[in-house]
Amino acid sequence: ELHDAAVACDRIRSIVSDLRVFSRAESVGSEEVNIHHVMESTLRLARAEIRHRARVVRVSRPAPPVQAIESRLSQVF
């Protein structure tokens, strides 16, 4: 039961972190952003809605960091 609780806490921590990135409106300047990280974060947030309606297939290649506002890029994805 302790292991299950620890796994659930990690999941909650991840969701809260992803929500902070997604909703962060005060970001004004762009910075170097890892697009793969942003995509994974966005998919974790949307997973509950997507899993009953579609199957997401990710095909990606290594990509350099891009200049962007992470929260806005997350909203685009």
Side-chain angles (χ1 to χ4, degrees):
E1 291 179 1
L2 288 176
H3 175 71
D4 291 345
V7 169
C9 286
D10 287 340
R11 181 160 161 53
I12 290 168
R13 182 179 12 257
S14 175
I15 290 170
V16 169
S17 175
D18 294 343
L19 283 171
R20 283 184 180 157
V21 168
F22 183 78
S23 65
R24 189 172 34 193
E26 73 275 1
S27 296
V28 177
S30 64
E31 59 188 2
E32 282 195 355
V33 176
N34 180 324
I35 61 172
H36 296 293
H37 172 74
V38 175
M39 179 64 76
E40 288 301 317
S41 173
T42 304
L43 285 172
R44 279 194 303 270
L45 284 174
R47 185 168 288 135
E49 288 295 319
I50 293 173
R51 71 175 160 207
H52 299 294
R53 299 177 185 171
R55 186 180 73 182
V56 176
V57 177
R58 292 179 302 245
V59 178
S60 62
R61 296 183 179 142
V66 297
Q67 282 295 124
I69 299 172
E70 187 174 1
S71 60
R72 296 214 177 142
L73 186 57
S74 180
Q75 291 171 357
V76 168
F77 289 149

